[in-house]
Amino acid sequence: MKTYPFQKLFPVFLLLAMAFFAGRGFAEFVENLRGIQEQHKETIMVSKTQGAVTYQAQELQDGTGITQQQENQENLALLQSQQTSASAQLQVLTNWPFTLDSPLLPGTENWGLGFGTAGSKPAGNATPEEMKTYNAYYVAPGEERKIYLTFDCGYENGNTEAILDALKKHHATATFFVVGHFLESAPELVKRMVAEGHTVGDHTYHHPDMSKISDLATFQKEMDDVRTKFFEVTGQEMPMYYRPPQGKYNKENLQMAKDLGYATFFWSLAYVDWNVNDQPTHEEAFSKLTSRIHPGAIVLLHNTSKTNAEILDELLTKWEEMGYAFGNLEEITTLSTSP
């Protein structure tokens, strides 16, 4: 068959075109990466004294659960996912150097997530199946469009009532993980949580790095002191739900929590809402909380966030319009133990 000169050159033109468009995408990725790296250089240091408790954002002493660096790393994971094909969906996991044959390491780990496509469940430090061996959870099994709302309560600064009002309006229940200081300083709000059907969980009394505690008695005391104070305030036993302060854990204290009868709950969606001196705009909050929502999401929010109090009613409406309903954490433990 006779060939013409342009036929010989066609593969060259095709390769040049592919390189041109790939180069444009890579350049955009590099530019976004540089922006994230610039954000990393900013130092966040916020102090707030409430009674005898000092909250320092840099050290996560207010129960942040997710740092600005983690948020940036998650953004980086999203950018990286856009640069990969559908056949290569493995994501960079925040602060997680594990290997596939060692899903849970003995040292302290920060709970982290790697996001893929919008609306899909993120990957955690370990799979749901691996976490379940420790009675620990970060996302509900299955594809039911249900959201599990959780709030970490380090202290009260005037936003919790609005949060409770929005939940009541939407007939939605949530789990509030409280520390000892919140029980001491806001007992009436705790009573209202219980009266309106919400769950109150254990976030430890003093909010320490529990992964540094190797003694079972000391570990248990941090948990028991919250339970004792909760009973004094409400006259009820506290549900056996636990969230590790700062998201710090290791397999030994996950096992200790399990041995004490607790279910441990991490999260599959969070954003930087905890810095009271640098609150996200409504637009920023909606962007993160709607684009990353997914079936079975355990959402971590903070009661100290002014933004959360202001947007929650509208946010719940938006999620409902997206086809989501709201569940409680007990459903996850039940689903996870079903055959």
Side-chain angles (χ1 to χ4, degrees):
M1 180 182 293
K2 183 177 181 180
T3 59
Y4 297 91
F6 76 88
Q7 291 177 302
K8 295 180 180 179
L9 294 175
F10 180 74
V12 177
F13 289 133
L14 180 61
L15 288 172
L16 288 173
M18 292 174 62
F20 172 74
F21 287 110
R24 289 181 61 188
F26 181 74
E28 182 179 351
F29 168 71
V30 170
E31 186 63 30
N32 288 330
L33 178 58
R34 285 174 179 166
I36 291 173
Q37 289 172 330
E38 285 300 315
Q39 293 178 39
H40 279 204
K41 296 177 183 178
E42 298 177 2
T43 301
I44 298 174
M45 190 70 181
V46 177
S47 296
K48 182 177 181 70
T49 302
Q50 177 86 7
V53 182
T54 298
Y55 299 90
Q56 294 181 316
Q58 188 178 30
E59 296 180 357
L60 305 177
Q61 293 302 310
D62 62 345
T64 58
I66 180 172
T67 66
Q68 183 67 58
Q69 183 180 18
Q70 286 174 313
E71 175 77 0
N72 290 339
Q73 287 174 311
E74 289 180 3
N75 287 335
L76 176 58
L78 281 168
L79 287 171
Q80 289 173 324
S81 73
Q82 295 168 3
Q83 302 299 315
T84 60
S85 67
S87 63
Q89 292 298 315
L90 291 177
Q91 300 299 314
V92 176
L93 302 179
T94 304
N95 294 327
W96 187 246
F98 73 89
T99 59
L100 292 178
D101 60 348
S102 179
L104 291 171
L105 297 179
T108 297
E109 296 301 325
N110 297 326
W111 180 248
L113 299 167
F115 286 86
T117 57
S120 63
K121 294 181 180 181
N125 290 4
T127 68
E129 291 73 23
E130 290 161 343
M131 296 298 288
K132 194 168 67 173
T133 62
Y134 296 92
N135 203 18
Y137 311 90
Y138 75 92
V139 67
E143 294 301 321
E144 186 178 6
R145 294 175 78 82
K146 232 172 194 184
I147 297 170
Y148 302 87
L149 297 166
T150 68
F151 293 84
D152 283 3
C153 301
Y155 63 97
E156 173 54 31
N157 64 345
N159 295 307
T160 307
E161 283 195 20
I163 289 170
L164 289 169
D165 290 344
L167 292 170
K168 185 175 183 179
K169 178 179 177 179
H170 288 262
H171 307 287
T173 56
T175 299
F176 293 86
F177 287 97
V178 301
V179 299
H181 181 268
F182 190 86
L183 288 163
E184 293 172 354
S185 61
E188 294 307 314
L189 286 174
V190 176
K191 291 177 184 177
R192 180 181 171 184
M193 292 170 185
V194 174
E196 295 183 357
H198 302 293
T199 301
V200 179
D202 200 322
H203 203 36
T204 74
Y205 205 88
H206 298 102
H207 201 269
D209 178 352
M210 294 290 276
S211 69
K212 301 298 185 184
I213 300 175
S214 58
D215 176 62
L216 179 60
T218 305
F219 187 94
Q220 182 173 358
K221 183 172 176 19
E222 274 293 334
M223 316 278 267
D224 285 353
D225 286 353
V226 174
R227 298 179 58 79
T228 299
K229 189 64 182 179
F230 178 80
F231 186 82
E232 291 175 3
V233 170
T234 66
Q236 298 184 22
E237 294 291 339
M238 175 176 269
M240 301 293 284
Y241 295 161
Y242 162 59
R243 172 163 285 160
Q246 310 168 49
K248 292 182 179 292
Y249 71 100
N250 59 35
K251 65 179 181 181
E252 282 77 13
N253 57 58
L254 285 181
Q255 184 63 51
M256 284 193 283
K258 179 182 179 181
D259 292 343
L260 292 172
Y262 285 91
T264 300
F265 289 94
F266 293 95
W267 58 88
S268 61
L269 175 58
Y271 78 120
V272 180
D273 61 347
W274 45 265
N275 188 342
V276 296
N277 290 344
D278 187 19
Q279 280 289 284
T281 66
H282 290 193
E283 293 74 20
E284 290 169 340
F286 267 92
S287 176
K288 292 287 171 60
L289 295 172
T290 58
S291 66
R292 294 183 180 180
I293 198 63
H294 51 271
I298 298 178
V299 180
L300 163 62
L301 300 172
H302 285 86
N303 72 310
T304 53
S305 169
K306 183 173 182 289
T307 296
N308 287 344
E310 291 171 348
I311 71 168
L312 190 59
D313 180 17
E314 186 180 355
L315 178 64
L316 297 179
T317 299
K318 178 63 177 177
W319 278 336
E320 288 169 334
E321 290 172 350
M322 294 171 70
Y324 285 93
F326 307 104
N328 58 70
L329 295 184
E330 183 179 5
E331 297 172 14
I332 296 180
T333 59
T334 301
L335 286 170
S336 298
T337 55
S338 300

